[in-house]
Amino acid sequence: MAAEAHASATSLPEMPPLTRREFLNYAWLASLGFVFLVGFGGATYFFAFPRFKTGEFGGLFPLGKAGDALPGPNDPPKHDTAGKFWLANVNGMILALYDVCVHLGCLYEWQPVSGRFECPCHGSKYTKEGKYIEGPAPRSLDRMVITFAGANNQAIAATDAKGDPLPIPADPNAQIVIDTGKIIQGESHG
Ligand code: FES
């Protein structure tokens, strides 16, 4: 008798059946959770695995030792066709300029006679540093992020958020890497 009474006291109360409205609410919450999980999982995947391979435009371009890879202060800028950038040494500071004209996307060229970049399409001109001189371009040339790494691949210097020219490290063995996926817009002259 006592055992029966105890069992009935501890048994769970019977749940009333779900109404249609409650069922729809639960289904809606479950679908929201599913959408969140898919979105979160997708974002995690996207950030965990780089989209571009090393040496592919959009990814990293390791150029080797600074002492070998960089042009000197009196050298013309060096073009990297695969990476779509020009490496320019301006008074011992280095820049990686995105090789697409900021007017309508033509490929500009270095002109040794005038000592500046000139676009063949509509005549925009830029200094060796990528600064706007004249023409229909709305701003100076865009820049990519450069990183110098020392021993153990530790970054020792990197382009700042404004894309200012980066001082070249004294160590000629410092490794230089261009991140072609990080493009900093040139300054508007308007
Ligand atoms: S695309 Fe270069 S000036 Fe127009």
Side-chain angles (χ1 to χ4, degrees):
M1 242 346 232
E4 259 177 49
H6 178 72
S8 67
T10 55
S11 63
L12 291 172
E14 219 170 90
M15 297 290 287
L18 287 181
T19 64
R20 184 180 148 78
R21 174 182 288 264
E22 284 169 335
F23 174 77
L24 288 175
N25 280 344
Y26 285 132
W28 182 70
L29 281 174
S31 65
L32 270 187
F34 178 73
V35 167
F36 172 77
L37 280 178
V38 168
F40 182 74
T44 305
Y45 179 85
F46 181 83
F47 287 111
F49 300 98
R51 283 185 302 154
F52 300 99
K53 293 188 208 129
T54 298
E56 178 180 275
F57 179 70
L60 298 176
F61 275 70
L63 302 181
K65 294 177 185 174
D68 300 332
L70 298 182
N74 299 318
D75 293 339
K78 267 190 188 177
H79 192 211
D80 188 305
T81 311
K84 302 181 190 288
F85 58 84
W86 287 89
L87 271 184
N89 184 327
V90 181
N91 304 324
M93 314 265 268
I94 200 78
L95 286 150
L97 300 167
Y98 184 27
D99 71 2
V100 171
C101 178
V102 295
H103 178 223
L104 291 177
C106 289
L107 296 180
Y108 58 83
E109 287 290 337
W110 175 251
Q111 297 299 333
V113 175
S114 59
R116 58 193 185 190
F117 292 109
E118 297 183 8
C119 182
C121 291
H122 314 100
S124 288
K125 297 177 177 57
Y126 311 91
T127 66
K128 192 181 187 187
E129 201 178 331
K131 289 209 163 147
Y132 171 85
I133 299 172
E134 62 182 40
R139 61 178 193 269
S140 295
L141 294 173
D142 297 338
R143 294 156 183 210
M144 293 175 180
V145 170
I146 302 172
T147 303
F148 287 109
N152 305 325
N153 270 344
Q154 292 284 340
I156 51 178
T159 304
D160 64 13
K162 288 197 315 192
D164 286 339
L166 185 62
I168 299 171
D171 179 5
N173 292 321
Q175 300 287 315
I176 176 170
V177 179
I178 313 296
D179 190 343
T180 62
K182 286 192 184 150
I183 294 179
I184 300 165
Q185 254 195 17
E187 216 172 348
S188 166
H189 58 78

